[in-house]
Amino acid sequence: MSANSAFITLKNVEKIYPNGEKAVYNFNLDIERNEFIVIVGPSGCGKSTTLRMIAGLEDISAGEIYMEDELLNFKPCKDRKMAIVFQSYALYPQMNVFNNIAFPLTINKYPAPIVNSVLFACDEVKKLLGETDWNTLTAALVNVMREKGSKDDKEERIATIFDLSLDGAKLLYDFCAKSAFDGQPSEDVKSVWLERIRMSETAELEKVAQSGVKLNERFCEVDSDGNEKTQIRKLTNYEIKKKVYETAEKLDLTAYLDKLPKELSGGQMQRVALGRAIIKNVPVFLMDEPLSNLDAKLRLTMRSEIVKLHNKINATTIYVTHDQTEAMTMASRIVVMSRGFIQQIGTPEEVYNSPSNLFVARFIGSPSMNLFDMKFDRKGMRLEHGDVSIPMDKKFVARYDEFYKEKVADFQGILENFDAQAREKVLKIMSATGESLSDKKVKKKENIFVKIKEKLDKKKNGADEVPKEKSIGESKLEELKNRLHTDGALTVGIRPERIRIEKVQVGKKYEGCFITKPTICELLGGEYSVHFDFCDKDVVARFDAKSLITTNDDIAVSFSLEDTYVFDPITCDVIKELG
């Protein structure tokens, strides 16, 4: 593979099921470190399948997935350094929150440097004695030694208070136990402890010298090249406990560690599922619609929490959802999919303000973009629908001609040598237009059998059947050629917030406005969603809720040409973007 700065790369990735159905087509994406990528699309578009291929839960039919230039295609799921959060929380009902979060750490082994625990502990305690006020240090130790509990509990308490390793805490506990002090110990005790540390270090260094082991400045064993040696081992109970409490604190779950899942709310269970992923301390988090089971208010809260968590732990997150609001509010970049094809990749601002086609324009935005059909009068340079007329400029006419010349050339190239790649290009266009290959005219069973017989006869006679995709491509080519010489219908779009509406006041003139009555006025707190009929379509605009508006009011509607989009209904690609 050529040098690539991307952290994760998906290159021509495809998924084909055993029955021949293709779920993902030619998926290409470069993901930078610490990005928050959201894959969004309707049910069945291939977004979850793509996520599962990245995770290693689904085999890749074609293409390659790289992580830091390492090929992941044949790497087991457990070795990919990724954590996944599913739509269902998948918590173990018999385990409390602590054990649910700790579970990944208890069943796996992790690489760890081989550390000389004696020298490391001595160095830790020596630094603690040198950097911490003696009275403050000993007062805290006296309190711990007076507490009820086992020796192990007190050692863990010392490790937590002074941020020591468990070996360092054991050494400090041993000093306290041997000194057997009840009140404030004198500075002489400190001297005794330092002398014991010196003697332990001297004895251990002699053993290390005799064994021939080499250590670095962190007391880790190193090879002849100075590289730290590692061992694959299970974490100790203290290491697990420490990680669980750190994770629980991040997610505000400390108070619930002893509770069972059935005693938690939906949001708390979701946080436990997140905690179980976070504790693995991996660089990549995969989330498959993790908020879909929550109520609206909790989803809003958890959206913010996930973004905060992503920023706090500096992870790379790939998030799958069908909710475009989640995509817009959470993503650093959005991947919009339909029927297994990528329709557009961009920042939320790019996808919202510059949709590449009609599918993206419809799918992204709440309320959705208003769309209505108008006829383009090229000679008169205007869009018309009944009495409604929108003047267009010469710039648009030039773009119109250029667009259709490009599309005719594209389709001629596709049909010239109609192979599998050309077929997929037609299918991608159909994924944006919403067209289906199924013949809707064939409804009766006898017609289906006739159709099958015709296919068998053609095969028997050696006649090649023209693929449906090619027929569709030829039909579209003819329609596109006609646009070069004749006027035709276009789809015009405008966002609800770009439409200006005003309550009609008696005596006031409203030049250039369309006067109508609302059909529905939906109060959404600080604003209304006002519905009205325009060009035989239901159109939505936003209106400030400071003023009362009802279906009995007359409204003046206006919008600027600069605020409109124009789409080609044949391919659904955008002809004119915003502005």
Side-chain angles (χ1 to χ4, degrees), residues 95-104 106 237-238 240-245 248 253 256-259 272 279:
M95 294 183 184
N96 61 18
V97 171
F98 180 97
N99 290 327
N100 264 288
I101 294 175
F103 186 74
T106 61
N237 289 336
Y238 173 72
I240 291 173
K241 188 181 290 187
K242 185 178 180 182
K243 286 179 179 290
V244 169
Y245 274 93
L253 288 171
Y256 307 100
L257 290 175
D258 61 343
K259 292 186 178 293
V272 175
I279 203 167

Side-chain angles (χ1 to χ4, degrees), residues 78 81-83 101-114 230-236 239-240 243 276-282:
K78 64 184 179 66
K81 298 179 183 177
M82 297 177 183
I101 294 175
F103 186 74
L105 303 184
T106 61
I107 63 171
N108 294 316
K109 293 182 178 181
Y110 296 89
I114 303 173
T230 59
Q231 59 181 341
I232 305 298
R233 64 173 177 84
K234 285 199 169 185
L235 299 180
T236 65
E239 288 172 326
I240 291 173
K243 286 179 179 290
R276 192 169 54 190
I278 292 166
I279 203 167
K280 293 175 71 176
N281 193 28
V282 291

Side-chain angles (χ1 to χ4, degrees), residues 62-92:
E64 299 158 339
I65 298 178
Y66 293 89
M67 181 172 168
E68 293 185 311
D69 289 339
E70 178 187 5
L71 183 65
L72 298 183
N73 287 37
F74 309 105
K75 198 165 189 176
C77 175
K78 64 184 179 66
D79 298 330
R80 294 200 181 192
K81 298 179 183 177
M82 297 177 183
I84 186 165
V85 180
F86 296 99
Q87 181 176 349
S88 63
Y89 311 127
L91 303 181
Y92 298 101

